[in-house]
Amino acid sequence: MPILQVQVTAGRSQQQKTAFLQNATKVIEQTLNAALPSIRISLQEIEQQDSIVAGQIGAEFVNIVAFLLAGRDDELKANFMAAINKTAVTTLDVSDTCIRTMVIDVAPEHMGVQEGLSAKAFRARSAS
């Protein structure tokens, strides 16, 4: 289920954004043991005049919000955060200091998946 919503200061080339999306997908697969069909990532560019960081209009930033099905341990999440941070630095050409990552655990009964079922209901149906 991993869903990443990524905001980045505008100005990246399409090549950089594509590289980030592709590498972030690999990071999720490798660090969170997620199946490729379950991974979703959206990348939103924010115009410099439309953001403020530490009191500075237009300062560089990358905000990454990762919604994960609850159950992964803290070590897995820490490994993911370190790897996704490195991916942003290398592909988006940003400083490590401007990246913030949040991991939000979602209970399986609170995440809708295929056919309008919750992840919990879908797993139960698939197991039977």
Side-chain angles (χ1 to χ4, degrees), residues 83-106:
I84 201 70
N85 185 289
K86 182 177 179 181
T87 297
V89 168
T90 59
T91 60
L92 297 175
D93 192 30
V94 294
S95 167
D96 174 69
T97 61
C98 73
I99 302 169
R100 297 295 182 268
T101 303
M102 290 177 281
V103 173
I104 300 171
D105 286 327
V106 179

Side-chain angles (χ1 to χ4, degrees), residues 3 14-15 64 68-69 74 88 94 126:
I3 298 172
Q14 188 57 52
Q15 182 179 0
I64 302 169
L68 308 177
L69 282 177
D74 289 343
V94 294
S126 298

Side-chain angles (χ1 to χ4, degrees), residues 11-42:
R12 304 297 166 296
S13 70
Q14 188 57 52
Q15 182 179 0
Q16 287 175 303
K17 293 183 288 187
T18 298
F20 174 79
L21 292 167
Q22 291 171 334
N23 286 309
T25 298
K26 291 176 188 169
V27 163
I28 294 167
E29 282 183 295
Q30 294 167 0
T31 62
L32 297 175
N33 303 315
L36 182 60
S38 70
I39 298 170
R40 307 282 188 272
I41 305 173
S42 62

Side-chain angles (χ1 to χ4, degrees), residues 31-54:
T31 62
L32 297 175
N33 303 315
L36 182 60
S38 70
I39 298 170
R40 307 282 188 272
I41 305 173
S42 62
L43 180 65
Q44 178 185 23
E45 288 187 290
I46 306 297
E47 294 298 325
Q48 290 185 341
Q49 71 270 13
D50 295 333
S51 65
I52 189 167
V53 177

